[in-house]
Amino acid sequence: MFRNQYDTDVTTWSPAGRLFQVEYAMEAVKQGSAAIGLRSKSHVVLACVNKANSELSSHQKKIFKVDDHIGVAIAGLTADGRVLSRYMRSECINYNYTYESPLPVGRLVVQLADKAQVCTQRSWKRPYGVGLLVGGLDESGAHLYYNCPSGNYFEYQAFAIGSRSQAAKTYLERRFESFTDSTREDLIKDALIATRETLQGEKLRSSICTVAVMGVGEPFHILDQDTVQKLIDAFEIVGQDEGPAAEPDAAVPAEQAAAGEGAGADTGSAPETDVAPMDI
Amino acid sequence: MESTQANPGLLCSPEDSQRTLYPYVTGTSVVALKYKDGILMAADMGGSYGSTLRYKSVERMKPIGKHSLLGASGEISDFQELLKYLDELILYDNMWDDGNSLGPKEIHNYLTRVMYNRRNKFDPLWNSLVLGGVKKGQKYLGMVSMIGVNFEDNHVATGFGNHLARPILRDEWREDLSFEEGVKLLEKCMRVLLYRDRSAVNKLQIAKITEEGVTISQPYALRTFWGFSAFQNPTAGAEGSW
């Protein structure tokens, strides 16, 4: 895309019928680190790659719990994502207060999309620069939606957004027909493999990814680092990588300590068996 | 906004004609119970104007959406106002057209919020509401009072029904009553109310709600017996008394 005379204002159409500011906002999504979502009939799994700015800093939180039955993974301007997550949490809690019942995810995404659309039609606003993968449950089962800065939303069986998401999408396209009837464990495994695809050869470790699950009878929660590392080890041993069996065990405690404060919602210190993980 | 402590006239001045102060046209008890396939609810069709039994064809039970049935006692005009709110609520719910729908639990909670909110503004909707329904095989029966007190139970009643019908229900209600048993039990309660509640009229409807939907019966009357010997000669014990 190149600069042109119709791209200064979101309220200016181009002669070809395009709103360039909205399209530029969607570019911002492509610059963010990858986020992946998949769903079966009863579960939704969200996964994302955590890239910290430097070795000194912690990574940004990209997966948010919106309610027991809804979670969101973001890519793009994380600040915009945080604000929208707060809006979603607010809507869920208000609905629950009035109706004592969870807000159907399909209705939440429409509200979110309408909110995004407003920003594409006001001269004093700008579009949100974040793409949201919203996973949630309602009466008709598990759903995964993608909300765009343009104010559009789409339902997906599986999707990936952010940088190098095409690699993940290629993997998901090969496998998506099996997802509806997939077990929870297989779904998580597929999410991790899709995440690995976006790393372009870099080793997949639980310190650089976050995985969250929700399902019928299972409230949304982020899996702790230990669990994720064990899952990675399980399929990496079976897969083509040679000899990682010894390495991850030794590497895991060191990574845990280093990624401790950076883990955000994950459990930081080495977990004791009688202490429940904090997933607030 | 002036404080009502500094100026008590703000709460009860005659210019405040918009608040509900007393009920005018009222309905008496509603009784409801859970049975095998859903909920059974009974209410008579009387609308009293003070002590006059003024209106005798008032429908005090209405279906709400696909899954719920609402019965009300108290001020009839406030019940009609509530039906307007609920109509709008159901309309917006249907407009989503997305396979989700508000069930009896949601409607019950919504009504609780409305009643409690109005109570806090000192402008209550003068009703006791009974909300019953079935959704996805789950039976639900709840009550909301005019001050926003709400609860769920296997059998509920409003007004006089609380004192006269519920003791009968506590004794004789069981899980998985058949439709006939449920109707018989409700009629027993309504008969007691007819004998003892002065604002009851002998024209009632029984409504049933199951997974399939709502059916409200045609109005009918209960058989009563007044031929007690004590009624034959009321002045027998004291001649000259009325």
Side-chain angles (χ1 to χ4, degrees), chain A residues 44 46 69-73 105 133-137 143-145 214 220:
Chain A
V44 186
L46 297 171
H69 68 296
I70 299 182
V72 62
V105 63
L133 279 172
V134 184
L137 274 33
H143 297 271
L144 175 69
Y145 295 92
M214 77 211 87
F220 175 94

Side-chain angles (χ1 to χ4, degrees), chain B residues 86-139:
Chain B
L86 287 170
D87 201 36
E88 195 178 322
L89 184 73
I90 299 291
L91 180 70
Y92 281 114
D93 191 43
N94 289 341
M95 270 165 55
W96 280 104
D97 200 16
D98 65 349
N100 292 303
S101 54
L102 292 171
K105 179 158 96 124
E106 288 80 19
I107 309 251
H108 184 224
N109 222 64
Y110 172 77
L111 286 171
T112 306
R113 291 291 119 236
V114 170
M115 301 300 270
Y116 184 63
N117 243 283
R118 292 288 297 255
R119 165 261 200 196
N120 283 335
K121 293 196 273 198
F122 273 91
D123 183 16
L125 288 161
W126 207 287
N127 294 109
S128 283
L129 304 168
V130 174
L131 198 294
V134 192
K135 190 171 175 205
K136 294 234 167 75
Q138 294 278 68
K139 301 187 282 248

Side-chain angles (χ1 to χ4, degrees), chain B residues 64-69 101-104 132-136 209 211:
Chain B
I64 311 288
K66 287 197 296 266
H67 307 284
S68 314
L69 176 64
S101 54
L102 292 171
V134 192
K135 190 171 175 205
K136 294 234 167 75
I209 179 164
E211 191 79 52

Side-chain angles (χ1 to χ4, degrees), chain B residues 213-229:
Chain B
V214 175
T215 330
I216 304 184
S217 73
Q218 287 291 79
Y220 68 102
L222 293 170
R223 281 183 196 288
T224 54
F225 179 71
W226 298 95
F228 294 100
S229 53

Side-chain angles (χ1 to χ4, degrees), chain A residues 190-202:
Chain A
D190 277 319
L192 284 166
I193 296 176
T195 311
R196 189 181 62 186
E197 297 296 305
T198 68
L199 295 172
Q200 304 280 43
E202 192 189 329

Side-chain angles (χ1 to χ4, degrees), chain A residues 20 59 79 124 135 186 209 212 228:
Chain A
F20 279 102
H59 65 81
W124 62 90
D186 280 341
C209 69
V228 177

